[in-house]
Every structure is written in structure tokens, then in C-alpha cells.
Amino acid sequence: MESSSSQRLPFWLESLLSETFFNACMVHEDAKKNEKNIFCLDCCEAICHHCLHLHNSHRLLQIRRYVYHDVIRVGDAEKLMDCSYVQAYTTNSAKVVFLNPRPQTRACRNSSNNCISCERGLQDPYLFCSISCKINQIMRNNGLMSEYLHKCEVLTLPEPGSDDWFMTPDSVFEPSVDRLTIACTATTEIVRKKRTSKFEISLEAREANITEAREANIPSVLETIGNRRKGMPRRSPFN
């Protein structure tokens, strides 16, 4: 089945990239956890898990979220198409790729490798930041999508409880982090440890140290920090 807007792009793929996920399912609007986070390749529509009984024999693709954007697992994507040179990320111990490019608020600087399609900064040796960017580049070069698509007759969802249905934004990148980022992170951790050692000491420990210092007649740094007050103002003598 071909799309009228692009004779070389399958309708299921065009629907997948243009669909809006994680909205409430209107059929099950009163049910809990009714987010549309599943895509049916045979019906070319997004569904929630309450709709699964109507799509038992269909090819189903689990949609996940990473930094507030739609992603799919690399293992699922490779069953459908060639995902080489599309940057992958690791979230919740699973490798994922973005369906569409993320918007950029500022121009990418100090990046030696950018996405060929949208100019987003990438890690080497990747060329595309999302599946959509790779497809757009293939279409610009008048390439045939059939050379990049795989025949997939069976595509099932993961077993319940074996995988997270929702990927949280606090995930980590799969590529290695550069030295500058590591240095900044290390500096931040050192500052946090210093602040913790000085100011985040429990009240009981502070009072115990102050009492011990008083008994030994030793000035306490903790007492100075905990009772840091200005002295009484005194007027300078008149000349």
C-alpha cells in the first residue's frame, strides 16, 4: 500500500512518523492508563493497551518516550528497516532510536559531526539523529525505500513486566561522553561533596561536636558556621 504523497514511502511508515502518541485514547477515555503508546502496522493507527483485544493477530510496535520524544527499540526498528548510522541511545538498559528529529533552540556549536538532514550534533560515526532524518535523505537522493525496508510479517509486544512501557526523561546517552563533560561533572561532584561536608551535617552530630570542642576548650569550626552572627555595632570615637 503506497502513500499518494510519496510513491516510494509505505503508508504504514508515513503514518508511524506522522502519528501523535501518548494522547488519551478516545475509545477508552474513562479508563486508567489509556495513553496511545502502541502502533498497529496493519491498521496504521495508534492504540492503547485496552484496544489490544481488537488487534491480536496484527503487527504491533511499542512506542516509548525519551527526553519527551517518541522512540522505539533498536531491536524492533531493525526488524522493519535498515537503521545503520542512526544514533542510538540507552535508556532503562534498552537501546532506542528517535522516530523524528528533536527541535533545536540554538545552533549547534563546537560539533565536528552533525546530522546530514537537520544539523543536530552527533557522536561519531553516526550520520542521522532519527529515522525520519535518514528517510528524508534517502528521498532527497531519489533512493528507493524498498532497499532499506525489511519484510516483517510478525511483530509482537514485549511480555508484560519484562519491559517498561514508559521511558523516563532521566535516562543516559548510549555514546561515550567527551572529556569536557566528564571534567565538568567531576568538578560538580567535588563542589557538592564540599558543600555536603560543611552544611548538610545532621543537627545531632553538630551539637555533639560543639559539646566535645567546648569540653576540650578547642574552637569549633562547626560552632562558628552554625552560629555565624555579626557583632554589636560600635560607633567610632570622635576626634
Tab-separated table of all heavy atoms in Angstrom, residues 104-155:
chain	number	residue	atom	x	y	z
A	104	GLN	N	15.551	22.159	17.765
A	104	GLN	CA	16.749	22.775	18.305
A	104	GLN	C	16.469	24.243	18.615
A	104	GLN	O	15.928	24.971	17.786
A	104	GLN	CB	17.908	22.684	17.299
A	104	GLN	CG	18.274	21.259	16.939
A	104	GLN	CD	19.531	21.189	16.109
A	104	GLN	OE1	20.622	21.425	16.603
A	104	GLN	NE2	19.393	20.858	14.839
A	105	THR	N	16.842	24.659	19.810
A	105	THR	CA	16.603	26.040	20.225
A	105	THR	C	17.750	26.958	19.850
A	105	THR	O	17.590	28.161	19.809
A	105	THR	CB	16.396	26.111	21.745
A	105	THR	OG1	17.537	25.532	22.397
A	105	THR	CG2	15.156	25.325	22.140
A	106	ARG	N	18.904	26.394	19.582
A	106	ARG	CA	20.064	27.199	19.203
A	106	ARG	C	20.929	26.423	18.231
A	106	ARG	O	20.841	25.202	18.142
A	106	ARG	CB	20.890	27.595	20.427
A	106	ARG	CG	21.491	26.417	21.171
A	106	ARG	CD	22.253	26.873	22.394
A	106	ARG	NE	21.339	27.459	23.373
A	106	ARG	CZ	21.733	27.950	24.534
A	106	ARG	NH1	23.023	27.951	24.839
A	106	ARG	NH2	20.857	28.449	25.391
A	107	ALA	N	21.741	27.147	17.513
A	107	ALA	CA	22.607	26.500	16.535
A	107	ALA	C	23.642	25.647	17.239
A	107	ALA	O	24.135	25.986	18.312
A	107	ALA	CB	23.292	27.557	15.680
A	108	CYS	N	23.968	24.521	16.621
A	108	CYS	CA	24.942	23.603	17.204
A	108	CYS	C	26.350	24.148	17.004
A	108	CYS	O	26.744	24.491	15.890
A	108	CYS	CB	24.803	22.230	16.555
A	108	CYS	SG	25.888	20.995	17.272
A	109	ARG	N	27.104	24.236	18.098
A	109	ARG	CA	28.461	24.756	18.043
A	109	ARG	C	29.450	23.711	18.572
A	109	ARG	O	29.099	22.853	19.350
A	109	ARG	CB	28.581	26.040	18.861
A	109	ARG	CG	27.699	27.181	18.352
A	109	ARG	CD	27.858	28.409	19.253
A	109	ARG	NE	27.009	29.497	18.792
A	109	ARG	CZ	26.928	30.690	19.408
A	109	ARG	NH1	27.647	30.907	20.500
A	109	ARG	NH2	26.143	31.617	18.923
A	110	ASN	N	30.668	23.870	18.105
A	110	ASN	CA	31.768	23.016	18.574
A	110	ASN	C	31.462	21.530	18.381
A	110	ASN	O	31.799	20.701	19.214
A	110	ASN	CB	32.087	23.288	20.043
A	110	ASN	CG	32.483	24.732	20.274
A	110	ASN	OD1	33.099	25.354	19.419
A	110	ASN	ND2	32.133	25.260	21.443
A	111	SER	N	30.774	21.220	17.294
A	111	SER	CA	30.470	19.831	16.988
A	111	SER	C	31.108	19.475	15.661
A	111	SER	O	30.864	20.141	14.646
A	111	SER	CB	28.951	19.608	16.928
A	111	SER	OG	28.661	18.268	16.593
A	112	SER	N	31.927	18.450	15.683
A	112	SER	CA	32.622	18.034	14.466
A	112	SER	C	31.774	17.106	13.616
A	112	SER	O	32.141	16.807	12.477
A	112	SER	CB	33.937	17.338	14.827
A	112	SER	OG	33.686	16.195	15.644
A	113	ASN	N	30.645	16.644	14.140
A	113	ASN	CA	29.799	15.722	13.394
A	113	ASN	C	28.345	16.098	13.609
A	113	ASN	O	27.867	16.138	14.749
A	113	ASN	CB	30.047	14.278	13.859
A	113	ASN	CG	29.269	13.284	13.045
A	113	ASN	OD1	29.049	13.467	11.856
A	113	ASN	ND2	28.821	12.207	13.675
A	114	ASN	N	27.628	16.407	12.533
A	114	ASN	CA	26.237	16.815	12.606
A	114	ASN	C	25.369	15.906	11.751
A	114	ASN	O	25.850	15.265	10.808
A	114	ASN	CB	26.058	18.262	12.131
A	114	ASN	CG	26.775	19.248	13.017
A	114	ASN	OD1	26.909	19.036	14.215
A	114	ASN	ND2	27.260	20.335	12.433
A	115	CYS	N	24.090	15.884	12.082
A	115	CYS	CA	23.124	15.122	11.290
A	115	CYS	C	23.070	15.696	9.880
A	115	CYS	O	22.981	16.917	9.692
A	115	CYS	CB	21.745	15.191	11.953
A	115	CYS	SG	20.438	14.367	11.017
A	116	ILE	N	23.118	14.833	8.890
A	116	ILE	CA	23.114	15.276	7.488
A	116	ILE	C	21.827	16.010	7.149
A	116	ILE	O	21.823	16.947	6.347
A	116	ILE	CB	23.301	14.069	6.549
A	116	ILE	CG1	24.665	13.431	6.778
A	116	ILE	CG2	23.151	14.460	5.091
A	116	ILE	CD1	24.916	12.196	5.957
A	117	SER	N	20.738	15.644	7.806
A	117	SER	CA	19.439	16.206	7.461
A	117	SER	C	19.080	17.453	8.255
A	117	SER	O	18.634	18.445	7.686
A	117	SER	CB	18.342	15.144	7.657
A	117	SER	OG	17.076	15.656	7.326
A	118	CYS	N	19.290	17.429	9.592
A	118	CYS	CA	18.820	18.543	10.424
A	118	CYS	C	19.930	19.289	11.149
A	118	CYS	O	19.644	20.212	11.915
A	118	CYS	CB	17.782	18.046	11.428
A	118	CYS	SG	18.475	17.024	12.748
A	119	GLU	N	21.179	18.883	10.960
A	119	GLU	CA	22.345	19.574	11.539
A	119	GLU	C	22.468	19.423	13.052
A	119	GLU	O	23.226	20.161	13.678
A	119	GLU	CB	22.316	21.075	11.186
A	119	GLU	CG	22.379	21.366	9.708
A	119	GLU	CD	23.687	20.877	9.071
A	119	GLU	OE1	24.716	20.940	9.758
A	119	GLU	OE2	23.663	20.445	7.914
A	120	ARG	N	21.758	18.512	13.658
A	120	ARG	CA	21.933	18.291	15.097
A	120	ARG	C	23.265	17.601	15.353
A	120	ARG	O	23.682	16.736	14.604
A	120	ARG	CB	20.781	17.438	15.652
A	120	ARG	CG	20.979	17.018	17.111
A	120	ARG	CD	19.766	16.333	17.662
A	120	ARG	NE	18.708	17.286	17.919
A	120	ARG	CZ	18.606	18.012	19.032
A	120	ARG	NH1	19.521	17.897	19.980
A	120	ARG	NH2	17.607	18.848	19.198
A	121	GLY	N	23.932	18.012	16.437
A	121	GLY	CA	25.213	17.425	16.769
A	121	GLY	C	25.103	15.955	17.117
A	121	GLY	O	24.184	15.544	17.838
A	122	LEU	N	26.030	15.159	16.602
A	122	LEU	CA	26.015	13.709	16.806
A	122	LEU	C	27.378	13.232	17.272
A	122	LEU	O	28.384	13.932	17.133
A	122	LEU	CB	25.645	12.984	15.506
A	122	LEU	CG	24.287	13.287	14.871
A	122	LEU	CD1	24.180	12.582	13.533
A	122	LEU	CD2	23.157	12.862	15.791
A	123	GLN	N	27.401	12.029	17.797
A	123	GLN	CA	28.645	11.343	18.108
A	123	GLN	C	29.112	10.589	16.856
A	123	GLN	O	28.304	10.157	16.034
A	123	GLN	CB	28.441	10.352	19.257
A	123	GLN	CG	27.997	10.992	20.558
A	123	GLN	CD	29.120	11.740	21.244
A	123	GLN	OE1	30.283	11.415	21.034
A	123	GLN	NE2	28.789	12.709	22.065
A	124	ASP	N	30.411	10.461	16.711
A	124	ASP	CA	30.945	9.655	15.609
A	124	ASP	C	30.648	8.183	15.873
A	124	ASP	O	30.659	7.749	17.026
A	124	ASP	CB	32.455	9.860	15.488
A	124	ASP	CG	32.798	11.279	15.030
A	124	ASP	OD1	32.015	11.840	14.238
A	124	ASP	OD2	33.837	11.801	15.475
A	125	PRO	N	30.354	7.387	14.848
A	125	PRO	CA	30.357	7.690	13.415
A	125	PRO	C	28.940	7.868	12.854
A	125	PRO	O	28.713	7.583	11.676
A	125	PRO	CB	31.004	6.447	12.841
A	125	PRO	CG	30.433	5.345	13.708
A	125	PRO	CD	30.254	5.937	15.096
A	126	TYR	N	27.974	8.321	13.675
A	126	TYR	CA	26.587	8.414	13.232
A	126	TYR	C	26.405	9.550	12.228
A	126	TYR	O	27.114	10.562	12.276
A	126	TYR	CB	25.662	8.625	14.427
A	126	TYR	CG	25.707	7.495	15.426
A	126	TYR	CD1	26.336	7.658	16.658
A	126	TYR	CD2	25.132	6.271	15.138
A	126	TYR	CE1	26.385	6.625	17.574
A	126	TYR	CE2	25.170	5.227	16.045
A	126	TYR	CZ	25.804	5.406	17.264
A	126	TYR	OH	25.856	4.384	18.164
A	127	LEU	N	25.402	9.380	11.354
A	127	LEU	CA	25.105	10.378	10.326
A	127	LEU	C	23.712	10.967	10.474
A	127	LEU	O	23.442	12.040	9.918
A	127	LEU	CB	25.238	9.752	8.925
A	127	LEU	CG	26.608	9.158	8.562
A	127	LEU	CD1	26.547	8.539	7.176
A	127	LEU	CD2	27.690	10.222	8.636
A	128	PHE	N	22.824	10.281	11.206
A	128	PHE	CA	21.442	10.730	11.337
A	128	PHE	C	21.015	10.685	12.796
A	128	PHE	O	21.402	9.785	13.542
A	128	PHE	CB	20.502	9.853	10.498
A	128	PHE	CG	20.928	9.699	9.064
A	128	PHE	CD1	21.608	8.563	8.650
A	128	PHE	CD2	20.668	10.686	8.137
A	128	PHE	CE1	22.023	8.409	7.344
A	128	PHE	CE2	21.071	10.545	6.813
A	128	PHE	CZ	21.752	9.404	6.420
A	129	CYS	N	20.199	11.654	13.197
A	129	CYS	CA	19.738	11.698	14.584
A	129	CYS	C	18.435	10.950	14.778
A	129	CYS	O	18.034	10.693	15.907
A	129	CYS	CB	19.574	13.151	15.036
A	129	CYS	SG	18.176	14.006	14.262
A	130	SER	N	17.750	10.609	13.706
A	130	SER	CA	16.451	9.934	13.816
A	130	SER	C	16.177	9.133	12.551
A	130	SER	O	16.842	9.317	11.515
A	130	SER	CB	15.331	10.950	14.039
A	130	SER	OG	15.211	11.808	12.909
A	131	ILE	N	15.177	8.279	12.650
A	131	ILE	CA	14.762	7.500	11.480
A	131	ILE	C	14.229	8.417	10.390
A	131	ILE	O	14.501	8.231	9.203
A	131	ILE	CB	13.703	6.460	11.894
A	131	ILE	CG1	14.343	5.394	12.789
A	131	ILE	CG2	13.065	5.819	10.675
A	131	ILE	CD1	13.354	4.377	13.325
A	132	SER	N	13.469	9.431	10.788
A	132	SER	CA	12.905	10.363	9.817
A	132	SER	C	13.991	11.078	9.028
A	132	SER	O	13.865	11.289	7.816
A	132	SER	CB	12.014	11.379	10.532
A	132	SER	OG	11.499	12.331	9.625
A	133	CYS	N	15.081	11.465	9.709
A	133	CYS	CA	16.161	12.164	9.012
A	133	CYS	C	16.821	11.267	7.969
A	133	CYS	O	17.165	11.723	6.873
A	133	CYS	CB	17.191	12.661	10.024
A	133	CYS	SG	16.665	14.135	10.943
A	134	LYS	N	16.994	10.001	8.286
A	134	LYS	CA	17.590	9.091	7.310
A	134	LYS	C	16.666	8.892	6.115
A	134	LYS	O	17.116	8.894	4.961
A	134	LYS	CB	17.894	7.743	7.964
A	134	LYS	CG	18.521	6.743	6.991
A	134	LYS	CD	19.010	5.484	7.666
A	134	LYS	CE	19.672	4.560	6.649
A	134	LYS	NZ	20.248	3.352	7.261
A	135	ILE	N	15.383	8.765	6.372
A	135	ILE	CA	14.417	8.591	5.287
A	135	ILE	C	14.386	9.823	4.391
A	135	ILE	O	14.346	9.725	3.158
A	135	ILE	CB	13.022	8.287	5.864
A	135	ILE	CG1	13.026	6.910	6.527
A	135	ILE	CG2	11.959	8.357	4.770
A	135	ILE	CD1	11.737	6.584	7.248
A	136	ASN	N	14.412	11.015	5.000
A	136	ASN	CA	14.397	12.244	4.210
A	136	ASN	C	15.612	12.338	3.302
A	136	ASN	O	15.516	12.774	2.149
A	136	ASN	CB	14.342	13.462	5.141
A	136	ASN	CG	13.005	13.596	5.833
A	136	ASN	OD1	11.986	13.084	5.368
A	136	ASN	ND2	12.994	14.277	6.966
A	137	GLN	N	16.770	11.926	3.815
A	137	GLN	CA	17.973	11.968	2.997
A	137	GLN	C	17.900	10.977	1.848
A	137	GLN	O	18.337	11.267	0.725
A	137	GLN	CB	19.193	11.676	3.878
A	137	GLN	CG	20.526	11.860	3.184
A	137	GLN	CD	20.776	13.302	2.793
A	137	GLN	OE1	20.209	14.220	3.381
A	137	GLN	NE2	21.627	13.507	1.785
A	138	ILE	N	17.340	9.808	2.113
A	138	ILE	CA	17.173	8.815	1.048
A	138	ILE	C	16.244	9.352	-0.036
A	138	ILE	O	16.506	9.201	-1.241
A	138	ILE	CB	16.624	7.493	1.628
A	138	ILE	CG1	17.654	6.851	2.559
A	138	ILE	CG2	16.270	6.518	0.503
A	138	ILE	CD1	17.127	5.637	3.298
A	139	MET	N	15.172	10.022	0.379
A	139	MET	CA	14.223	10.558	-0.582
A	139	MET	C	14.836	11.699	-1.394
A	139	MET	O	14.568	11.837	-2.592
A	139	MET	CB	12.975	11.048	0.141
A	139	MET	CG	12.294	9.985	1.003
A	139	MET	SD	11.728	8.558	0.051
A	139	MET	CE	10.358	9.281	-0.829
A	140	ARG	N	15.672	12.523	-0.748
A	140	ARG	CA	16.322	13.617	-1.486
A	140	ARG	C	17.260	13.081	-2.561
A	140	ARG	O	17.432	13.696	-3.617
A	140	ARG	CB	17.108	14.500	-0.516
A	140	ARG	CG	16.264	15.311	0.444
A	140	ARG	CD	17.098	16.377	1.112
A	140	ARG	NE	16.399	16.967	2.246
A	140	ARG	CZ	16.647	16.683	3.513
A	140	ARG	NH1	17.605	15.805	3.805
A	140	ARG	NH2	15.972	17.246	4.485
A	141	ASN	N	17.878	11.957	-2.264
A	141	ASN	CA	18.811	11.363	-3.223
A	141	ASN	C	18.120	10.436	-4.214
A	141	ASN	O	18.785	9.680	-4.928
A	141	ASN	CB	19.894	10.580	-2.471
A	141	ASN	CG	20.760	11.475	-1.620
A	141	ASN	OD1	20.875	12.680	-1.856
A	141	ASN	ND2	21.382	10.900	-0.596
A	142	ASN	N	16.772	10.486	-4.223
A	142	ASN	CA	15.980	9.660	-5.140
A	142	ASN	C	16.253	8.168	-4.952
A	142	ASN	O	16.241	7.389	-5.906
A	142	ASN	CB	16.248	10.051	-6.600
A	142	ASN	CG	15.810	11.472	-6.903
A	142	ASN	OD1	14.765	11.917	-6.413
A	142	ASN	ND2	16.598	12.188	-7.694
A	143	GLY	N	16.500	7.803	-3.711
A	143	GLY	CA	16.721	6.397	-3.431
A	143	GLY	C	15.414	5.637	-3.277
A	143	GLY	O	14.365	6.223	-3.015
A	144	LEU	N	15.470	4.347	-3.451
A	144	LEU	CA	14.287	3.517	-3.321
A	144	LEU	C	14.185	3.014	-1.878
A	144	LEU	O	15.106	2.381	-1.378
A	144	LEU	CB	14.347	2.335	-4.291
A	144	LEU	CG	14.329	2.685	-5.789
A	144	LEU	CD1	14.510	1.429	-6.613
A	144	LEU	CD2	13.037	3.397	-6.149
A	145	MET	N	13.066	3.299	-1.236
A	145	MET	CA	12.876	2.869	0.141
A	145	MET	C	12.841	1.352	0.261
A	145	MET	O	13.163	0.811	1.313
A	145	MET	CB	11.578	3.458	0.693
A	145	MET	CG	11.678	4.920	1.104
A	145	MET	SD	12.998	5.228	2.312
A	145	MET	CE	12.545	4.100	3.621
A	146	SER	N	12.493	0.677	-0.812
A	146	SER	CA	12.425	-0.784	-0.757
A	146	SER	C	13.785	-1.403	-0.464
A	146	SER	O	13.870	-2.515	0.055
A	146	SER	CB	11.878	-1.328	-2.082
A	146	SER	OG	12.700	-0.921	-3.168
A	147	GLU	N	14.866	-0.688	-0.764
A	147	GLU	CA	16.195	-1.200	-0.495
A	147	GLU	C	16.550	-1.110	0.982
A	147	GLU	O	17.499	-1.756	1.432
A	147	GLU	CB	17.225	-0.426	-1.315
A	147	GLU	CG	17.037	-0.571	-2.821
A	147	GLU	CD	18.057	0.226	-3.597
A	147	GLU	OE1	18.885	0.916	-2.943
A	147	GLU	OE2	18.040	0.172	-4.837
A	148	TYR	N	15.812	-0.303	1.739
A	148	TYR	CA	16.114	-0.087	3.148
A	148	TYR	C	15.073	-0.701	4.087
A	148	TYR	O	15.272	-0.717	5.286
A	148	TYR	CB	16.216	1.414	3.437
A	148	TYR	CG	17.333	2.087	2.677
A	148	TYR	CD1	17.108	2.608	1.410
A	148	TYR	CD2	18.616	2.182	3.221
A	148	TYR	CE1	18.134	3.224	0.709
A	148	TYR	CE2	19.648	2.792	2.519
A	148	TYR	CZ	19.393	3.314	1.258
A	148	TYR	OH	20.413	3.913	0.556
A	149	LEU	N	13.977	-1.180	3.522
A	149	LEU	CA	12.918	-1.770	4.339
A	149	LEU	C	13.048	-3.290	4.372
A	149	LEU	O	13.473	-3.915	3.399
A	149	LEU	CB	11.545	-1.386	3.788
A	149	LEU	CG	11.236	0.109	3.765
A	149	LEU	CD1	9.855	0.358	3.183
A	149	LEU	CD2	11.339	0.717	5.157
A	150	HIS	N	12.685	-3.874	5.522
A	150	HIS	CA	12.731	-5.316	5.689
A	150	HIS	C	11.310	-5.876	5.722
A	150	HIS	O	10.387	-5.221	6.215
A	150	HIS	CB	13.452	-5.683	6.988
A	150	HIS	CG	14.859	-5.191	7.032
A	150	HIS	ND1	15.539	-4.970	8.214
A	150	HIS	CD2	15.733	-4.871	6.036
A	150	HIS	CE1	16.763	-4.538	7.951
A	150	HIS	NE2	16.893	-4.466	6.641
A	151	LYS	N	11.160	-7.062	5.220
A	151	LYS	CA	9.861	-7.719	5.256
A	151	LYS	C	9.638	-8.300	6.640
A	151	LYS	O	10.374	-9.182	7.085
A	151	LYS	CB	9.793	-8.818	4.191
A	151	LYS	CG	8.419	-9.447	4.069
A	151	LYS	CD	8.390	-10.473	2.947
A	151	LYS	CE	7.001	-11.083	2.815
A	151	LYS	NZ	6.948	-12.094	1.725
A	152	CYS	N	8.643	-7.791	7.317
A	152	CYS	CA	8.349	-8.221	8.686
A	152	CYS	C	6.891	-8.669	8.751
A	152	CYS	O	5.974	-7.852	8.649
A	152	CYS	CB	8.610	-7.073	9.663
A	152	CYS	SG	8.272	-7.482	11.386
A	153	GLU	N	6.699	-9.955	8.909
A	153	GLU	CA	5.340	-10.492	8.964
A	153	GLU	C	4.824	-10.634	10.389
A	153	GLU	O	3.614	-10.678	10.602
A	153	GLU	CB	5.297	-11.854	8.265
A	153	GLU	CG	5.639	-11.788	6.774
A	153	GLU	CD	5.574	-13.137	6.109
A	153	GLU	OE1	5.374	-14.141	6.850
A	153	GLU	OE2	5.727	-13.210	4.882
A	154	VAL	N	5.724	-10.702	11.361
A	154	VAL	CA	5.322	-10.866	12.760
A	154	VAL	C	6.074	-9.840	13.602
A	154	VAL	O	7.304	-9.761	13.547
A	154	VAL	CB	5.607	-12.287	13.279
A	154	VAL	CG1	5.218	-12.390	14.752
A	154	VAL	CG2	4.883	-13.327	12.437
A	155	LEU	N	5.335	-9.057	14.360
A	155	LEU	CA	5.938	-8.082	15.277
A	155	LEU	C	5.043	-8.017	16.515
A	155	LEU	O	3.905	-7.557	16.450
A	155	LEU	CB	6.037	-6.705	14.625
A	155	LEU	CG	6.784	-5.636	15.427
A	155	LEU	CD1	8.240	-6.036	15.630
A	155	LEU	CD2	6.720	-4.285	14.721
